[in-house]
Amino acid sequence: PIAVEQPTVRMTIGVNKSPLAGREGKFLTSRMIRDRLFKELDRNVALQVAETDSADRYQVSGRGQLHLTVLIESMRREGFELEVGPPTVILKTNQETGKVEEPWESVEVRVPEEYVGGVVDLLNTRKGELQDMGLEEGEGLSVVTYIVPTRGMLGLRSSLMTATRGTAIIDSIFDSYRPMIKEEILNRDKGSLLAFADGKTTTFGIEGAQDRGKLFINPGDEVYKGMIVGIHQRPGDLEVNVCKTKALTNMRSANKGITTGIVSAIDMSLDMCVEYLAMDELLEVTPGLFRMAKNPELAGKKKVGKK
């Protein structure tokens, strides 16, 4: 018989508890989510579902981040509303040596020659080990082969696409379990912009906030306190008031005639949202929208600035 590969990445999937929950989805309760997840086990043999300490949250383990996001996307299209936690790597203890081991993946990247340097730098910072590098005959592409810890693979695809202007072709497959690297692998070097209060975003509020980083929202979108509205240009989180309205007075200001204009928002897909999540953040998945927010259970443990 064919041996089924063991899961290497896990995420929590549960009931959507955000202030804007229940507006779009048809299936909202923990019983509906539980039934759907356990039904998936009938045909998705590499998936594992386990109950957690929380009655409305389930731990789902799969063969990599893509395996789990396909399931989340299927449930979203069926009308489910979900709250998704960040992906984490499944560690094992070697019975013979007693050491903690983590999964590693063999990664092959095909890319035009001018972008090879950027790919090598990125994979080296993710603690990857170079296996092979050469040219592909006929295609004119360089082929770079690495072995990378699965921890370093989380969030790697969007970074590689940015570094190579969308030209990289990435293939990865599970390689083996190896002793865990003690150094922390930095998957994200920038903080988040957080909504300062509940309400609808305004053009005036977005104009003021976009100087602080790149935004995910447009004027008229509904936000709530603690919701992630953009990427901060520096490390650390910052609260911004994107619902701020312009004061209506009869006084003329020195910059009255100056209009900065709004930079178009980043359109975040499900894959991009899952890759973006930090350990203290959650993703709200509805049939029509993806919203990211700080995990209220971990609130107050991280210092947040204000603007």
mmCIF file of all heavy atoms in Angstrom, residues 3-40:
data_model
loop_
_atom_site.group_PDB
_atom_site.id
_atom_site.type_symbol
_atom_site.label_atom_id
_atom_site.label_comp_id
_atom_site.label_asym_id
_atom_site.label_seq_id
_atom_site.Cartn_x
_atom_site.Cartn_y
_atom_site.Cartn_z
ATOM 1 N N ALA A 3 2.121 4.619 1.359
ATOM 2 C CA ALA A 3 2.192 5.241 2.690
ATOM 3 C C ALA A 3 1.797 6.711 2.585
ATOM 4 O O ALA A 3 2.297 7.427 1.719
ATOM 5 C CB ALA A 3 3.598 5.114 3.244
ATOM 6 N N VAL A 4 0.890 7.120 3.447
ATOM 7 C CA VAL A 4 0.449 8.526 3.463
ATOM 8 C C VAL A 4 1.449 9.351 4.257
ATOM 9 O O VAL A 4 1.810 8.990 5.377
ATOM 10 C CB VAL A 4 -0.956 8.649 4.093
ATOM 11 C CG1 VAL A 4 -1.389 10.117 4.141
ATOM 12 C CG2 VAL A 4 -1.962 7.826 3.321
ATOM 13 N N GLU A 5 1.926 10.433 3.674
ATOM 14 C CA GLU A 5 2.894 11.291 4.363
ATOM 15 C C GLU A 5 2.259 11.930 5.589
ATOM 16 O O GLU A 5 1.088 12.304 5.572
ATOM 17 C CB GLU A 5 3.393 12.378 3.413
ATOM 18 C CG GLU A 5 4.330 11.856 2.344
ATOM 19 C CD GLU A 5 4.890 12.984 1.504
ATOM 20 O OE1 GLU A 5 4.700 14.147 1.866
ATOM 21 O OE2 GLU A 5 5.531 12.689 0.481
ATOM 22 N N GLN A 6 3.051 12.054 6.629
ATOM 23 C CA GLN A 6 2.555 12.634 7.876
ATOM 24 C C GLN A 6 2.452 14.159 7.761
ATOM 25 O O GLN A 6 3.246 14.789 7.055
ATOM 26 C CB GLN A 6 3.485 12.270 9.030
ATOM 27 C CG GLN A 6 3.456 10.804 9.401
ATOM 28 C CD GLN A 6 2.070 10.341 9.808
ATOM 29 O OE1 GLN A 6 1.477 10.867 10.740
ATOM 30 N NE2 GLN A 6 1.533 9.366 9.091
ATOM 31 N N PRO A 7 1.484 14.779 8.458
ATOM 32 C CA PRO A 7 1.347 16.247 8.414
ATOM 33 C C PRO A 7 2.579 16.939 8.979
ATOM 34 O O PRO A 7 3.238 16.415 9.881
ATOM 35 C CB PRO A 7 0.123 16.519 9.305
ATOM 36 C CG PRO A 7 -0.586 15.212 9.423
ATOM 37 C CD PRO A 7 0.458 14.149 9.292
ATOM 38 N N THR A 8 2.874 18.128 8.452
ATOM 39 C CA THR A 8 4.024 18.901 8.940
ATOM 40 C C THR A 8 3.625 20.296 9.443
ATOM 41 O O THR A 8 4.409 20.962 10.101
ATOM 42 C CB THR A 8 5.074 19.074 7.828
ATOM 43 O OG1 THR A 8 4.451 19.671 6.682
ATOM 44 C CG2 THR A 8 5.677 17.736 7.422
ATOM 45 N N VAL A 9 2.406 20.744 9.094
ATOM 46 C CA VAL A 9 1.957 22.093 9.484
ATOM 47 C C VAL A 9 0.555 21.988 10.083
ATOM 48 O O VAL A 9 -0.278 21.212 9.603
ATOM 49 C CB VAL A 9 1.931 23.046 8.263
ATOM 50 C CG1 VAL A 9 1.354 24.399 8.631
ATOM 51 C CG2 VAL A 9 3.346 23.238 7.715
ATOM 52 N N ARG A 10 0.300 22.784 11.125
ATOM 53 C CA ARG A 10 -1.042 22.786 11.731
ATOM 54 C C ARG A 10 -1.567 24.212 11.860
ATOM 55 O O ARG A 10 -0.797 25.168 11.981
ATOM 56 C CB ARG A 10 -1.034 22.099 13.090
ATOM 57 C CG ARG A 10 -0.209 22.769 14.159
ATOM 58 C CD ARG A 10 -0.594 22.267 15.543
ATOM 59 N NE ARG A 10 -0.234 20.881 15.743
ATOM 60 C CZ ARG A 10 0.828 20.462 16.437
ATOM 61 N NH1 ARG A 10 1.651 21.363 16.976
ATOM 62 N NH2 ARG A 10 1.077 19.205 16.607
ATOM 63 N N MET A 11 -2.902 24.339 11.841
ATOM 64 C CA MET A 11 -3.581 25.622 12.052
ATOM 65 C C MET A 11 -4.824 25.362 12.895
ATOM 66 O O MET A 11 -5.322 24.238 12.933
ATOM 67 C CB MET A 11 -4.006 26.247 10.709
ATOM 68 C CG MET A 11 -2.865 26.607 9.799
ATOM 69 S SD MET A 11 -3.403 27.045 8.129
ATOM 70 C CE MET A 11 -4.050 28.678 8.394
ATOM 71 N N THR A 12 -5.320 26.402 13.563
ATOM 72 C CA THR A 12 -6.594 26.268 14.270
ATOM 73 C C THR A 12 -7.688 26.891 13.415
ATOM 74 O O THR A 12 -7.501 27.959 12.815
ATOM 75 C CB THR A 12 -6.559 26.960 15.649
ATOM 76 O OG1 THR A 12 -6.208 28.329 15.477
ATOM 77 C CG2 THR A 12 -5.564 26.284 16.569
ATOM 78 N N ILE A 13 -8.811 26.195 13.337
ATOM 79 C CA ILE A 13 -9.986 26.689 12.612
ATOM 80 C C ILE A 13 -11.161 26.658 13.578
ATOM 81 O O ILE A 13 -11.386 25.642 14.249
ATOM 82 C CB ILE A 13 -10.278 25.821 11.367
ATOM 83 C CG1 ILE A 13 -9.127 25.926 10.361
ATOM 84 C CG2 ILE A 13 -11.598 26.226 10.713
ATOM 85 C CD1 ILE A 13 -9.300 25.057 9.125
ATOM 86 N N GLY A 14 -11.904 27.762 13.674
ATOM 87 C CA GLY A 14 -13.007 27.800 14.625
ATOM 88 C C GLY A 14 -14.075 28.804 14.250
ATOM 89 O O GLY A 14 -14.121 29.309 13.124
ATOM 90 N N VAL A 15 -14.928 29.090 15.213
ATOM 91 C CA VAL A 15 -16.061 29.999 15.012
ATOM 92 C C VAL A 15 -15.556 31.436 14.907
ATOM 93 O O VAL A 15 -14.692 31.858 15.680
ATOM 94 C CB VAL A 15 -17.055 29.868 16.186
ATOM 95 C CG1 VAL A 15 -18.195 30.870 16.053
ATOM 96 C CG2 VAL A 15 -17.608 28.458 16.254
ATOM 97 N N ASN A 16 -16.105 32.178 13.961
ATOM 98 C CA ASN A 16 -15.746 33.583 13.792
ATOM 99 C C ASN A 16 -16.350 34.409 14.924
ATOM 100 O O ASN A 16 -17.567 34.454 15.088
ATOM 101 C CB ASN A 16 -16.263 34.065 12.426
ATOM 102 C CG ASN A 16 -15.833 35.488 12.126
ATOM 103 O OD1 ASN A 16 -14.979 36.043 12.808
ATOM 104 N ND2 ASN A 16 -16.418 36.084 11.107
ATOM 105 N N LYS A 17 -15.499 35.063 15.711
ATOM 106 C CA LYS A 17 -15.974 35.834 16.874
ATOM 107 C C LYS A 17 -15.762 37.328 16.705
ATOM 108 O O LYS A 17 -15.836 38.073 17.673
ATOM 109 C CB LYS A 17 -15.221 35.378 18.129
ATOM 110 C CG LYS A 17 -15.445 33.923 18.493
ATOM 111 C CD LYS A 17 -14.605 33.584 19.706
ATOM 112 C CE LYS A 17 -14.640 32.095 19.980
ATOM 113 N NZ LYS A 17 -13.660 31.722 20.999
ATOM 114 N N SER A 18 -15.464 37.789 15.499
ATOM 115 C CA SER A 18 -15.181 39.212 15.319
ATOM 116 C C SER A 18 -16.459 40.039 15.463
ATOM 117 O O SER A 18 -17.570 39.513 15.340
ATOM 118 C CB SER A 18 -14.566 39.453 13.944
ATOM 119 O OG SER A 18 -15.558 39.736 12.986
ATOM 120 N N PRO A 19 -16.327 41.357 15.715
ATOM 121 C CA PRO A 19 -17.521 42.216 15.830
ATOM 122 C C PRO A 19 -18.382 42.246 14.570
ATOM 123 O O PRO A 19 -19.553 42.627 14.633
ATOM 124 C CB PRO A 19 -16.920 43.607 16.108
ATOM 125 C CG PRO A 19 -15.572 43.336 16.689
ATOM 126 C CD PRO A 19 -15.087 42.091 16.025
ATOM 127 N N LEU A 20 -17.825 41.870 13.413
ATOM 128 C CA LEU A 20 -18.580 41.898 12.156
ATOM 129 C C LEU A 20 -18.994 40.493 11.714
ATOM 130 O O LEU A 20 -19.323 40.272 10.548
ATOM 131 C CB LEU A 20 -17.740 42.560 11.051
ATOM 132 C CG LEU A 20 -17.244 43.980 11.338
ATOM 133 C CD1 LEU A 20 -16.391 44.498 10.192
ATOM 134 C CD2 LEU A 20 -18.415 44.925 11.585
ATOM 135 N N ALA A 21 -18.990 39.549 12.647
ATOM 136 C CA ALA A 21 -19.301 38.154 12.311
ATOM 137 C C ALA A 21 -20.790 37.964 12.025
ATOM 138 O O ALA A 21 -21.636 38.719 12.516
ATOM 139 C CB ALA A 21 -18.881 37.243 13.452
ATOM 140 N N GLY A 22 -21.108 36.944 11.232
ATOM 141 C CA GLY A 22 -22.494 36.536 11.000
ATOM 142 C C GLY A 22 -23.251 37.320 9.958
ATOM 143 O O GLY A 22 -24.449 37.136 9.790
ATOM 144 N N ARG A 23 -22.584 38.197 9.213
ATOM 145 C CA ARG A 23 -23.291 39.031 8.236
ATOM 146 C C ARG A 23 -23.402 38.385 6.861
ATOM 147 O O ARG A 23 -24.279 38.732 6.084
ATOM 148 C CB ARG A 23 -22.594 40.384 8.093
ATOM 149 C CG ARG A 23 -22.548 41.163 9.397
ATOM 150 C CD ARG A 23 -22.079 42.578 9.158
ATOM 151 N NE ARG A 23 -22.054 43.356 10.384
ATOM 152 C CZ ARG A 23 -21.834 44.652 10.431
ATOM 153 N NH1 ARG A 23 -21.594 45.324 9.311
ATOM 154 N NH2 ARG A 23 -21.821 45.299 11.573
ATOM 155 N N GLU A 24 -22.480 37.473 6.541
ATOM 156 C CA GLU A 24 -22.438 36.919 5.189
ATOM 157 C C GLU A 24 -22.671 35.415 5.136
ATOM 158 O O GLU A 24 -23.335 34.920 4.247
ATOM 159 C CB GLU A 24 -21.072 37.213 4.547
ATOM 160 C CG GLU A 24 -20.801 38.666 4.270
ATOM 161 C CD GLU A 24 -19.445 38.825 3.596
ATOM 162 O OE1 GLU A 24 -19.212 38.151 2.580
ATOM 163 O OE2 GLU A 24 -18.627 39.598 4.094
ATOM 164 N N GLY A 25 -22.079 34.686 6.076
ATOM 165 C CA GLY A 25 -22.055 33.230 5.985
ATOM 166 C C GLY A 25 -23.387 32.567 6.308
ATOM 167 O O GLY A 25 -24.237 33.127 6.999
ATOM 168 N N LYS A 26 -23.539 31.335 5.803
ATOM 169 C CA LYS A 26 -24.720 30.516 6.110
ATOM 170 C C LYS A 26 -24.420 29.533 7.237
ATOM 171 O O LYS A 26 -25.314 29.148 7.978
ATOM 172 C CB LYS A 26 -25.143 29.729 4.863
ATOM 173 C CG LYS A 26 -25.660 30.584 3.718
ATOM 174 C CD LYS A 26 -26.187 29.719 2.585
ATOM 175 C CE LYS A 26 -25.062 28.986 1.870
ATOM 176 N NZ LYS A 26 -25.544 28.175 0.724
ATOM 177 N N PHE A 27 -23.157 29.118 7.352
ATOM 178 C CA PHE A 27 -22.765 28.124 8.350
ATOM 179 C C PHE A 27 -21.820 28.781 9.344
ATOM 180 O O PHE A 27 -20.684 29.113 9.007
ATOM 181 C CB PHE A 27 -22.089 26.927 7.661
ATOM 182 C CG PHE A 27 -22.902 26.344 6.539
ATOM 183 C CD1 PHE A 27 -22.480 26.475 5.229
ATOM 184 C CD2 PHE A 27 -24.094 25.686 6.795
ATOM 185 C CE1 PHE A 27 -23.232 25.951 4.185
ATOM 186 C CE2 PHE A 27 -24.852 25.158 5.768
ATOM 187 C CZ PHE A 27 -24.424 25.290 4.447
ATOM 188 N N LEU A 28 -22.312 28.983 10.568
ATOM 189 C CA LEU A 28 -21.582 29.809 11.532
ATOM 190 C C LEU A 28 -21.213 29.081 12.817
ATOM 191 O O LEU A 28 -20.273 29.477 13.494
ATOM 192 C CB LEU A 28 -22.421 31.040 11.916
ATOM 193 C CG LEU A 28 -23.021 31.857 10.760
ATOM 194 C CD1 LEU A 28 -24.018 32.870 11.304
ATOM 195 C CD2 LEU A 28 -21.918 32.556 9.993
ATOM 196 N N THR A 29 -21.963 28.026 13.185
ATOM 197 C CA THR A 29 -21.806 27.434 14.513
ATOM 198 C C THR A 29 -20.658 26.433 14.552
ATOM 199 O O THR A 29 -20.218 25.903 13.526
ATOM 200 C CB THR A 29 -23.105 26.721 14.948
ATOM 201 O OG1 THR A 29 -23.336 25.615 14.066
ATOM 202 C CG2 THR A 29 -24.286 27.665 14.893
ATOM 203 N N SER A 30 -20.199 26.127 15.780
ATOM 204 C CA SER A 30 -19.090 25.187 15.940
ATOM 205 C C SER A 30 -19.498 23.780 15.509
ATOM 206 O O SER A 30 -18.667 23.018 14.995
ATOM 207 C CB SER A 30 -18.604 25.184 17.393
ATOM 208 O OG SER A 30 -19.633 24.752 18.249
ATOM 209 N N ARG A 31 -20.769 23.417 15.701
ATOM 210 C CA ARG A 31 -21.214 22.083 15.279
ATOM 211 C C ARG A 31 -21.127 21.926 13.767
ATOM 212 O O ARG A 31 -20.684 20.896 13.253
ATOM 213 C CB ARG A 31 -22.661 21.845 15.755
ATOM 214 C CG ARG A 31 -23.193 20.452 15.425
ATOM 215 C CD ARG A 31 -24.634 20.297 15.850
ATOM 216 N NE ARG A 31 -25.498 21.262 15.159
ATOM 217 C CZ ARG A 31 -25.944 21.102 13.914
ATOM 218 N NH1 ARG A 31 -25.578 20.053 13.193
ATOM 219 N NH2 ARG A 31 -26.734 22.007 13.378
ATOM 220 N N MET A 32 -21.541 22.961 13.036
ATOM 221 C CA MET A 32 -21.468 22.914 11.568
ATOM 222 C C MET A 32 -20.014 22.812 11.086
ATOM 223 O O MET A 32 -19.699 22.047 10.170
ATOM 224 C CB MET A 32 -22.115 24.174 10.973
ATOM 225 C CG MET A 32 -23.615 24.238 11.129
ATOM 226 S SD MET A 32 -24.243 25.857 10.607
ATOM 227 C CE MET A 32 -26.014 25.553 10.649
ATOM 228 N N ILE A 33 -19.132 23.600 11.716
ATOM 229 C CA ILE A 33 -17.713 23.569 11.332
ATOM 230 C C ILE A 33 -17.106 22.215 11.668
ATOM 231 O O ILE A 33 -16.357 21.631 10.867
ATOM 232 C CB ILE A 33 -16.954 24.715 12.036
ATOM 233 C CG1 ILE A 33 -17.435 26.066 11.496
ATOM 234 C CG2 ILE A 33 -15.443 24.572 11.838
ATOM 235 C CD1 ILE A 33 -16.941 27.262 12.267
ATOM 236 N N ARG A 34 -17.450 21.672 12.854
ATOM 237 C CA ARG A 34 -16.917 20.371 13.266
ATOM 238 C C ARG A 34 -17.353 19.271 12.301
ATOM 239 O O ARG A 34 -16.536 18.457 11.859
ATOM 240 C CB ARG A 34 -17.409 20.047 14.678
ATOM 241 C CG ARG A 34 -16.867 18.744 15.228
ATOM 242 C CD ARG A 34 -17.512 18.403 16.573
ATOM 243 N NE ARG A 34 -16.879 17.232 17.160
ATOM 244 C CZ ARG A 34 -17.155 15.982 16.805
ATOM 245 N NH1 ARG A 34 -18.050 15.737 15.849
ATOM 246 N NH2 ARG A 34 -16.532 14.970 17.380
ATOM 247 N N ASP A 35 -18.645 19.245 11.961
ATOM 248 C CA ASP A 35 -19.154 18.218 11.035
ATOM 249 C C ASP A 35 -18.455 18.303 9.682
ATOM 250 O O ASP A 35 -18.112 17.281 9.084
ATOM 251 C CB ASP A 35 -20.672 18.367 10.855
ATOM 252 C CG ASP A 35 -21.449 18.001 12.121
ATOM 253 O OD1 ASP A 35 -20.818 17.416 13.029
ATOM 254 O OD2 ASP A 35 -22.651 18.313 12.192
ATOM 255 N N ARG A 36 -18.236 19.531 9.197
ATOM 256 C CA ARG A 36 -17.615 19.712 7.880
ATOM 257 C C ARG A 36 -16.147 19.254 7.908
ATOM 258 O O ARG A 36 -15.673 18.614 6.954
ATOM 259 C CB ARG A 36 -17.705 21.184 7.477
ATOM 260 C CG ARG A 36 -16.992 21.541 6.177
ATOM 261 C CD ARG A 36 -17.634 20.844 4.988
ATOM 262 N NE ARG A 36 -16.946 21.173 3.746
ATOM 263 C CZ ARG A 36 -15.838 20.573 3.315
ATOM 264 N NH1 ARG A 36 -15.288 19.590 4.028
ATOM 265 N NH2 ARG A 36 -15.297 20.936 2.158
ATOM 266 N N LEU A 37 -15.425 19.557 8.989
ATOM 267 C CA LEU A 37 -14.019 19.165 9.077
ATOM 268 C C LEU A 37 -13.869 17.648 9.152
ATOM 269 O O LEU A 37 -13.011 17.058 8.488
ATOM 270 C CB LEU A 37 -13.361 19.819 10.296
ATOM 271 C CG LEU A 37 -13.111 21.328 10.212
ATOM 272 C CD1 LEU A 37 -12.604 21.860 11.543
ATOM 273 C CD2 LEU A 37 -12.124 21.666 9.109
ATOM 274 N N PHE A 38 -14.712 16.985 9.967
ATOM 275 C CA PHE A 38 -14.599 15.532 10.093
ATOM 276 C C PHE A 38 -15.099 14.821 8.839
ATOM 277 O O PHE A 38 -14.626 13.725 8.516
ATOM 278 C CB PHE A 38 -15.336 15.050 11.346
ATOM 279 C CG PHE A 38 -14.541 15.245 12.606
ATOM 280 C CD1 PHE A 38 -14.733 16.354 13.416
ATOM 281 C CD2 PHE A 38 -13.563 14.326 12.972
ATOM 282 C CE1 PHE A 38 -13.981 16.546 14.561
ATOM 283 C CE2 PHE A 38 -12.806 14.503 14.123
ATOM 284 C CZ PHE A 38 -13.008 15.614 14.921
ATOM 285 N N LYS A 39 -16.021 15.442 8.116
ATOM 286 C CA LYS A 39 -16.470 14.875 6.837
ATOM 287 C C LYS A 39 -15.332 14.913 5.806
ATOM 288 O O LYS A 39 -15.208 14.021 4.959
ATOM 289 C CB LYS A 39 -17.679 15.681 6.326
ATOM 290 C CG LYS A 39 -18.317 15.122 5.060
ATOM 291 C CD LYS A 39 -19.475 15.994 4.628
ATOM 292 C CE LYS A 39 -20.046 15.489 3.298
ATOM 293 N NZ LYS A 39 -21.099 16.401 2.790
ATOM 294 N N GLU A 40 -14.489 15.957 5.880
ATOM 295 C CA GLU A 40 -13.360 16.096 4.962
ATOM 296 C C GLU A 40 -12.368 14.937 5.108
ATOM 297 O O GLU A 40 -11.688 14.556 4.157
ATOM 298 C CB GLU A 40 -12.658 17.438 5.222
ATOM 299 C CG GLU A 40 -11.506 17.776 4.305
ATOM 300 C CD GLU A 40 -11.915 18.144 2.886
ATOM 301 O OE1 GLU A 40 -13.108 18.455 2.676
ATOM 302 O OE2 GLU A 40 -11.045 18.113 1.999
#
